[in-house]
């Protein structure tokens, strides 16, 4: 039987933050500048990985250009993403969970610099107990960032839920035996997410909020 949840770890892009479209546009822009072939579907499929891994997957034949391509991508994204924000309902959900003494954390494929920028953009630094970015640990689906979050909070995987929109998120949680929830409004389809045995797949933020509230009630009933 699953233990009551004490900690919820969220992916950022495509799970909390409505940024997938701009990430794809910026990757396509960078590829075009360096005359590298790239489709929107391919660009979307790697969201969630760390940036070095993104470059290795999308541009395997030009490793000498990876640094320049990623800089071009990053500059374009920063310049065009000031209007990106949380999905509707995310703010209410996070603050409600926080007010019910649920610990919150972030595990993201972003760089630390990129994550800090969007935490400031959403004024949400204080919402989270700990945040981990791919640039300071190993990229998903390696579970190291989750292990680091657990070490910081003193909790076990079975007291935690990982919430994410990609196979990388759910595989990462599966690799450390952490219960997991998929959301199908981000990058990967419900069919892809289902392969990693999630507790549920939420089709929208409202459904995610309802499911997590049930987990909170289990905690309060103990």
């Amino acid at each position: 039987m699953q233990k009551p949840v004490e900690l919820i770890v969220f992916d950022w892009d495509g799970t909390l933050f409505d940024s997938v479209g701009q990430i794809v546009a910026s990757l396509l822009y960078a590829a075009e500048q360096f005359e590298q072939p790239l489709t929107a579907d391919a660009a979307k499929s790697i969201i969630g990985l760390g940036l070095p891994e993104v470059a290795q997957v999308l541009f395997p034949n030009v490793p000498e250009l990876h640094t320049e391509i990623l800089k071009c991508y990053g500059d374009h994204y920063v310049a065009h993403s000031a209007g990106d924000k949380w999905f509707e309902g995310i703010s209410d959900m996070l603050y409600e969970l926080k007010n019910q003494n649920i610990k919150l954390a972030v595990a993201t494929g972003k760089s630390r610099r990129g994550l800090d920028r969007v935490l400031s953009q959403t004024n949400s630094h204080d919402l989270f107990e700990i945040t981990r970015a791919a640039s300071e640990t190993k990229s998903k689906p390696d579970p190291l960032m989750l292990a680091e979050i657990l070490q910081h909070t003193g909790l076990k995987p079975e007291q935690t839920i990982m919430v994410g929109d990609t196979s990388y998120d759910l595989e990462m949680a599966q690799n450390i035996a952490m219960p997991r929830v998929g959301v199908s409004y981000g990058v990967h389809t419900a069919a892809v997410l289902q392969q990693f045995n999630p507790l549920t797949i939420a089709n929208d933020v409202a459904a995610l909020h309802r499911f997590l509230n049930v987990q909170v009630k289990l905690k309060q009933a103990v």
Side-chain angles (χ1 to χ4, degrees):
M1 181 177 177
Q2 183 192 340
K3 291 188 176 181
V5 63
E6 301 281 347
L7 166 69
I8 303 174
V9 183
F10 293 94
D11 168 60
W12 189 269
D13 294 304
T15 300
L16 298 180
F17 204 59
D18 189 5
S19 49
V20 170
Q22 188 54 57
I23 291 172
V24 169
S26 294
L27 283 170
L28 290 172
Y29 174 83
E32 183 180 7
Q33 303 316 298
F34 291 88
E35 300 181 335
Q36 297 301 308
L38 183 63
T39 66
D41 284 346
K44 184 177 180 181
S45 73
I46 52 71
I47 294 175
L49 296 176
L51 288 176
E53 290 73 23
V54 166
Q56 290 163 16
V57 172
L58 296 184
F59 311 109
N61 298 322
V62 286
E64 70 279 5
L65 294 179
H66 285 180
T67 298
E68 292 177 81
I69 291 173
L70 291 177
K71 183 180 186 305
C72 182
Y73 157 76
D75 289 347
H76 188 273
Y77 181 78
V78 170
H80 294 84
S81 62
D84 287 354
K85 56 187 179 180
W86 277 333
F87 288 106
E88 185 176 352
I90 287 294
S91 179
D92 289 344
M93 180 187 72
L94 292 177
Y95 279 98
E96 182 176 321
L97 291 168
K98 181 80 168 179
N99 289 338
Q100 295 178 87
N101 297 315
I102 298 297
K103 292 181 172 65
L104 306 177
V106 170
T108 179
K110 283 186 171 305
S111 68
R112 169 50 60 183
R113 181 180 177 185
L115 178 58
D116 284 345
R117 183 177 59 81
V118 291
L119 287 169
S120 295
Q121 192 170 320
T122 54
N123 194 29
S124 60
H125 282 278
D126 293 340
L127 264 176
F128 302 104
E129 294 279 323
I130 178 175
T131 60
R132 298 301 288 159
S135 63
E136 59 197 6
T137 183
K138 291 187 177 180
S139 174
K140 304 170 185 177
D142 190 291
L144 180 59
M145 67 173 72
L146 292 182
E148 292 167 344
I149 289 170
L150 292 175
Q151 182 177 26
H152 176 85
T153 58
L155 296 171
K156 297 178 180 180
E158 59 265 29
Q159 296 171 289
T160 307
I161 291 175
M162 174 71 209
V163 181
D165 68 312
T166 71
S167 62
Y168 314 119
D169 300 313
L170 301 196
E171 184 179 358
M172 173 177 66
Q174 189 176 60
N175 285 341
I176 202 171
M178 181 180 290
R180 47 214 169 267
V181 169
V183 300
S184 62
Y185 53 80
V187 169
H188 288 161
T189 65
V192 170
L193 300 175
Q194 194 63 56
Q195 299 175 60
F196 300 93
N197 300 313
L199 299 174
T200 191
I201 296 176
N203 294 323
D204 53 38
V205 175
L208 176 63
H209 194 169
R210 286 193 299 272
F211 180 82
L212 295 178
N213 272 342
V214 171
Q215 310 310 303
V216 172
K217 289 176 182 177
L218 286 174
K219 175 180 185 290
Q220 293 170 340
V222 172

